[in-house]
Amino acid sequence: MMNKKKLALAIALAGVSAQAYALDLGEFNGARFSVGGYVKGEGIFNDPDGGDSDFDATARQTRLNFRVDREVEGHDVTAFVEGDFWDNATDTSDKSYAMRLRHAYIQVDNLTIGQTWSGQFFANAPFDVEILDFYGTGIGTVSGSGAVVRPDLVMHYTTGGFRFSLQDPVNQEADFPDLVAAYTHRTEAGHAFNVAVTGREVETGVDDSEFGASLSLAAKLNFGDTALALSGYTGEGNNVYSGWGYNGATAPASIASRGEVNDTGDLVSTTGLSAGISHRFGERLRGNLRYAQVEADEVSPGVADDTLETMNVNLIYTYLPGLDFGIEWRDRNALTMPLRPAGQQVELMAMYKF
């Protein structure tokens, strides 16, 4: 049972998280210990639509994790803790980056409790293609801000292909958790399909709130060395997870709705889609192309509608097992997160996973 659980976790997170890689430290008192993570250095050439071009380099994505697996009275128990050095900072002039908590959860058989990926993230990320942009993971899907929105506490329960998630609400005044229910179907040919429904209470004003819901569909079709990823979603009240809406993803943290409510107090609706193709050119070289867009019915006062569009194209070369070198060109038509303005970027990276 333990080996099956590890295999399922590795498949679900391959290309998404360092949880799929680990160094086995051995067994002590019936518990198996392992460490994992990666060291990543990147250099980014920025050519924004407005302003001067520049070059920025950092290793702050580097992350470390520690994992303990043990069988207790017939149950598989896992403890996992991971941190990186992103520090939640946006000022690149400060090079003293502190470690921040990314994951800290307990898993008992099919139940997971702690800080980790949201249910929206699991409904899309395993069915997407690989990109290098730290701020671009999932754009165009119901989990477009999955790389930065990890609820303080999540409870996942999986059974068969179902996943049910209760999440610490983004709206601190909500009367119940944010909710996600998803189902994944995998075929013998290696294809996978996911449908997810999300729901949450959104603050619309003082002592006032509305319930917002969204529907997401995602698929990963595998054809030998080539894979096709498709997704689409629509709904309202999920903008804080999808990363686009009223005032975009840059709405100040002091605004409780974080882009989900317009200036009249109505919920903003968004519709997104993504399409990607990945191909292995050989044992060591792989490439990915991805296009995504998400449209909101209102992004700022006086604007009837607006659409965020992104494009990523990359090549990744495995020089040695665990050691990758990559290059990615990307373009986006609007600011989505700090340090990621509208315009083009070229990233060069080296990553060693262990």
Side-chain angles (χ1 to χ4, degrees), residues 203-251:
E203 182 179 346
T204 59
V206 179
D207 298 326
D208 193 14
S209 65
E210 290 187 27
F211 186 84
S214 61
L215 173 67
S216 167
L217 301 173
K220 188 74 172 284
L221 308 176
N222 291 290
F223 306 99
D225 292 329
T226 302
L228 179 65
L230 301 168
S231 77
Y233 88 94
T234 188
E236 56 185 19
N238 193 74
N239 310 14
V240 70
Y241 288 100
S242 61
W244 189 246
Y246 189 69
N247 286 329
T250 60

Side-chain angles (χ1 to χ4, degrees), residues 153 167-178 200-201 241:
L153 188 67
Q167 303 170 178
D168 180 45
V170 177
N171 172 16
Q172 297 182 1
E173 303 299 324
D175 294 328
F176 49 83
D178 292 354
R200 55 184 302 267
E201 183 180 349
Y241 288 100

